[in-house]
Amino acid sequence: DQQVKQNSPSLSVQEGRISILNCDYTNSMFDYFLWYKKYPAEGPTFLISISSIKDKNEDGRFTVFLNKSAKHLSLHIVPSQPGDSAVYFCAAAGAGSNYKLTFGKGTLLTVNP
Amino acid sequence: GAGVSQSPRYKVAKRGQDVALRCDPISGHVSLFWYQQALGQGPEFLTYFQNEAQLDKSGLPSDRFFAERPEGSVSTLKIQRTQQEDSAVYLCASSIRQDNEQFFGPGTRLTVL
């Protein structure tokens, strides 16, 4: 049973526009959420995170929003650039085992020039 | 600076063979993690070390899987009597402490024929 779900396998966006990647989770014990970015033949690279005590965290072009009541988070990339084309993984961790990341299946983002 | 390195990058094994996968974490990183990523899936947690101590091995799929980190630095993931379902990318990650950002290596792609 998938505890972290990324229901869109792929997303295509025009350069300069906003990319919105979505993630849902089912485990109410999760209190820390992360987004990783992965290029082919490389390991995932940490992008941004958010603790459950916040509902928004921003870092440059990347913003993560957390809606705890809906068990939903999203990653916004504005403006999108061709170099952002990659697979994006949503991950979650819970109190007591905050090292054990549970990942979604990933969303392939393609930013077209 | 040097990131997490893994070797070999690719490994082909015949069913029933034993394999050993190596991970060199970032120098000074106390925590080390192994994940398994099957095709089309997100990484799944296998095991966690703090220095040389294996504190969590709850994700190891069977007793054919064994991991060690004898001197608190390099780690080896060993799979005995490999099966076709073991085919996956094995990712190693390290972090300064258990609750810090995890830095991933490029992974070892294991194919069992």
Side-chain angles (χ1 to χ4, degrees), chain A residues 43-78:
Chain A
T45 302
F46 171 77
L47 201 53
I48 192 169
S49 64
I50 188 167
S51 163
S52 60
I53 62 172
K54 294 186 174 182
D55 54 18
K56 176 182 173 182
N57 189 26
E58 192 172 351
D59 183 2
R61 296 185 297 114
F62 302 92
T63 303
V64 56
F65 295 91
L66 175 62
N67 182 335
K68 290 186 290 292
S69 60
K71 293 193 177 69
H72 177 84
L73 61 154
S74 60
L75 174 68
H76 292 211
I77 307 173
V78 182

Side-chain angles (χ1 to χ4, degrees), chain A residues 35-49:
Chain A
W35 285 94
Y36 278 81
K37 173 179 174 180
K38 186 182 183 304
Y39 293 117
E42 295 183 12
T45 302
F46 171 77
L47 201 53
I48 192 169
S49 64

Side-chain angles (χ1 to χ4, degrees), chain B:
Chain B
V4 178
S5 60
Q6 293 186 245
S7 60
R9 292 293 312 275
Y10 302 91
K11 176 70 179 176
V12 178
K14 291 183 180 178
R15 192 162 63 92
Q17 276 185 331
D18 297 348
V19 298
L21 313 179
R22 177 187 169 109
C23 172
D24 284 82
I26 294 172
S27 177
H29 278 197
V30 168
S31 300
L32 185 143
F33 312 84
W34 283 98
Y35 291 83
Q36 179 191 59
Q37 185 177 13
L39 191 64
Q41 304 293 317
E44 289 194 8
F45 172 84
L46 293 177
T47 188
Y48 157 58
F49 288 86
Q50 184 170 304
N51 295 307
E52 69 279 1
Q54 189 175 20
L55 298 186
D56 188 336
K57 52 182 180 178
S58 62
L60 296 176
S62 77
D63 58 8
R64 295 186 297 103
F65 287 71
F66 172 77
E68 60 183 5
R69 193 185 186 199
E71 297 178 359
S73 178
V74 170
S75 176
T76 304
L77 177 67
K78 297 179 179 177
I79 309 173
Q80 297 177 323
R81 305 181 303 281
T82 52
Q83 304 293 315
Q84 282 190 317
E85 62 263 28
D86 299 335
S87 295
V89 174
Y90 290 85
L91 293 163
C92 175
S94 71
S95 65
I96 295 173
R97 293 192 316 266
Q98 69 172 46
D99 57 349
N100 280 79
E101 172 194 343
Q102 294 182 22
F103 293 83
F104 283 81
T108 295
R109 179 176 295 279
L110 172 66
T111 302
V112 181
L113 303 176

